[in-house]
Amino acid sequence: MKVGFQYLTNVSSSTRATDRQRCSNLYATSCATDPDIASREAYSSEMLVDSFGRFHNYLRISLTERCNLRCQYCMPAEGVELTPKSELLSPDEIIRIANLFVTSGVDKIRLTGGEPTIRKDIEDICLHLSGLKGLKTLAMTTNGIVLSKKLPKLKECGLNALNISLDTLVPAKFEFMTRRKGHSKVMESIDASVELGYNPVKVNCVIMRGMNDDEICNFVELTRQKPINVRFIEFMPFDGNVWNVKKLVPYAEMLDKVRQSYKGVERLQDHHTDTAKNFRIDGHVGTISFITSMTEHFCAGCNRLRLLADGNFKVCLFGPSEVSLREPIRAGVNDTGLKEIIGAAVKRKKAKHAGMFDIAKTANRPMIHIGG
């Protein structure tokens, strides 16, 4: 099925509502907000269940390999070779693949990159994805550089969850870590997200020893008066980011730092598929979390799959295995055939990743190619 992207993004609210309905009519599985939406079980299929019984209801879609920052843990200093535009998924191909996943049981999609907000058609993509019936959450991970300007339209187009990446609260250090200016723009985007009613606004912070581990409690302060969830992420190895275990600050050490400075740090009940260990602090409106991929992996509850900008399908962030969905689409394979390819890849997913030292020695793509 084809969905045209011919209409403009700067249209009125009434036109957007009409377009959302039109999108709903084009797909048999449209309109996520309908009150008569069927249960997840009605959509779920064996395509999304791996050999260990894990049901994958969360798809991360990388919309671009391009970015307006050059973060040290994400991209090599010399940059990366970009995939030719002809080998990237078209908007129609993205929607078609997303529709296959949603009709099979995926109820959460996260848009990543590169930096997804630099796409000129980002509002259109959000509008079409949010119209897929059965999709409950349309989220985005962004660096926040241009987000504040685009966010009102993005929210109108169905974007209902946000993660903003920010690794330092010091402008000069931000420029060093990202090799670009823009700290104030990110802070503006965080404030704009709160003002527009996103709750929580998730702030992703990769902690690296000797770089920003002295700012942990400063980040905690962001949660005192605003509905912000600061997510402290253990430094992970990817091609080109010069990972070293000495740079890794373990979750236990980060948590200890917080507990030394704050009273009433209470662990919250986590869902079995959560990547984060979540905590609240007495007197704080927001919360803090820790992503412990290296020291305490959460593979047993993994429910995530990844679609890369070039159309490759990846079942594990740290695994090198990928299978192309772009090639069979362009060869004329129908939806049934695509589902068979996807299902076979999911069945090959391993029980857990290899561990941080083996991951560091395994060939994998830079994070900017995989999608944050």
Side-chain angles (χ1 to χ4, degrees):
M1 298 181 195
K2 292 279 187 180
V3 177
F5 276 69
Q6 71 278 12
Y7 56 89
L8 299 174
T9 58
N10 57 341
V11 293
S12 66
S13 299
S14 60
T15 303
R16 287 191 184 280
T18 302
D19 285 335
R20 188 186 295 275
Q21 185 58 51
R22 181 175 60 167
C23 176
S24 298
N25 294 335
L26 283 167
Y27 283 113
T29 55
S30 306
C31 215
T33 54
D34 280 358
D36 60 344
I37 187 169
S39 66
R40 188 196 77 180
E41 288 73 17
Y43 288 101
S44 62
S45 74
E46 286 300 309
M47 181 185 93
L48 299 177
V49 180
D50 68 14
S51 60
F52 303 96
R54 292 174 295 199
F55 177 73
H56 298 77
N57 67 322
Y58 181 4
L59 178 66
R60 301 174 70 99
I61 301 177
S62 176
L63 294 180
T64 179
E65 297 172 350
R66 296 181 180 276
C67 189
N68 44 10
L69 296 180
R70 297 291 184 270
C71 298
Q72 294 189 26
Y73 58 81
C74 182
M75 186 187 293
E78 66 276 13
V80 296
E81 185 177 349
L82 297 173
T83 302
K85 186 175 180 180
S86 62
E87 297 176 19
L88 298 174
L89 290 177
S90 70
D92 288 336
E93 289 168 337
I94 292 170
I95 301 302
R96 178 183 173 187
I97 294 171
N99 185 57
L100 284 179
F101 278 95
V102 173
T103 57
S104 297
V106 162
D107 58 16
K108 179 177 182 178
I109 289 177
R110 177 174 296 280
L111 304 177
T112 69
E115 173 51 39
T117 60
I118 67 175
R119 282 192 64 135
K120 294 179 180 179
D121 58 356
I122 184 63
E123 292 95 345
D124 296 316
I125 290 174
C126 286
L127 181 66
H128 284 80
L129 290 175
S130 67
L132 297 177
K133 187 175 181 180
L135 188 69
K136 297 177 181 177
T137 303
L138 180 60
M140 179 186 289
T141 297
T142 169
N143 61 31
I145 294 293
V146 300
L147 179 67
S148 62
K149 296 178 181 178
K150 295 193 173 188
L151 192 53
K153 286 183 181 178
L154 288 170
K155 184 174 183 182
E156 192 177 315
C157 289
L159 185 72
N160 57 19
L162 271 176
N163 288 52
I164 300 174
S165 299
L166 178 65
D167 302 310
T168 178
L169 297 173
V170 181
K173 194 187 294 186
F174 176 91
E175 187 173 345
F176 173 75
M177 295 178 75
T178 67
R179 309 184 180 107
R180 296 290 188 275
K181 296 181 183 293
H183 182 268
S184 62
K185 294 179 181 178
V186 182
M187 298 305 295
E188 286 173 14
S189 291
I190 292 172
D191 289 340
S193 302
V194 171
E195 290 170 8
L196 281 171
Y198 285 92
N199 187 359
V201 175
K202 295 183 178 181
V203 174
N204 292 349
C205 181
V206 177
I207 297 296
M208 291 172 281
R209 193 178 304 282
M211 184 72 73
N212 60 351
D213 54 323
D214 60 334
E215 295 187 62
I216 290 175
C217 290
N218 294 335
F219 271 96
V220 172
E221 280 301 307
L222 294 179
T223 73
R224 187 178 291 276
Q225 295 180 334
K226 296 179 180 180
I228 291 174
N229 169 229
V230 175
R231 299 161 70 81
F232 297 109
I233 303 172
E234 291 181 338
F235 184 37
M236 298 176 278
F238 293 97
D239 276 11
N241 74 351
V242 198
W243 185 86
N244 187 308
V245 70
K246 293 179 181 179
K247 297 180 183 178
L248 171 69
V249 182
Y251 147 66
E253 182 180 331
M254 290 190 275
L255 178 59
D256 185 58
K257 238 178 210 188
V258 174
R259 283 187 159 148
Q260 286 179 19
S261 299
Y262 295 91
K263 295 181 180 180
V265 180
E266 178 187 352
R267 178 74 182 267
L268 299 174
Q269 182 66 46
D270 305 323
H271 189 272
H272 75 279
T273 62
D274 277 350
T275 60
K277 294 174 173 61
N278 302 298
F279 294 79
R280 65 177 297 276
I281 300 174
D282 283 352
H284 285 229
V285 174
T287 56
I288 62 171
S289 303
F290 299 88
I291 313 294
T292 64
S293 307
M294 296 295 95
T295 61
E296 295 185 22
H297 72 75
F298 34 79
C299 302
C302 184
N303 67 336
R304 291 163 296 286
L305 301 168
R306 293 172 181 265
L307 178 65
L308 279 57
D310 64 3
N312 277 13
F313 177 55
K314 196 173 179 72
V315 297
C316 176
L317 172 62
F318 300 109
S321 298
E322 298 177 5
V323 60
S324 177
L325 299 182
R326 182 195 75 243
E327 291 178 4
I329 284 177
R330 295 183 183 179
V333 173
N334 63 19
D335 287 358
T336 300
L338 289 175
K339 286 185 176 183
E340 290 175 358
I341 294 169
I342 293 166
V346 172
K347 290 295 187 294
R348 293 193 295 270
K349 184 168 181 173
K350 296 181 179 180
K352 59 182 180 180
H353 67 58
M356 59 183 171
F357 295 107
D358 286 333
I359 291 171
K361 294 182 290 185
T362 301
N364 198 359
R365 299 215 223 180
M367 175 58 89
I368 193 165
H369 275 175
I370 298 172

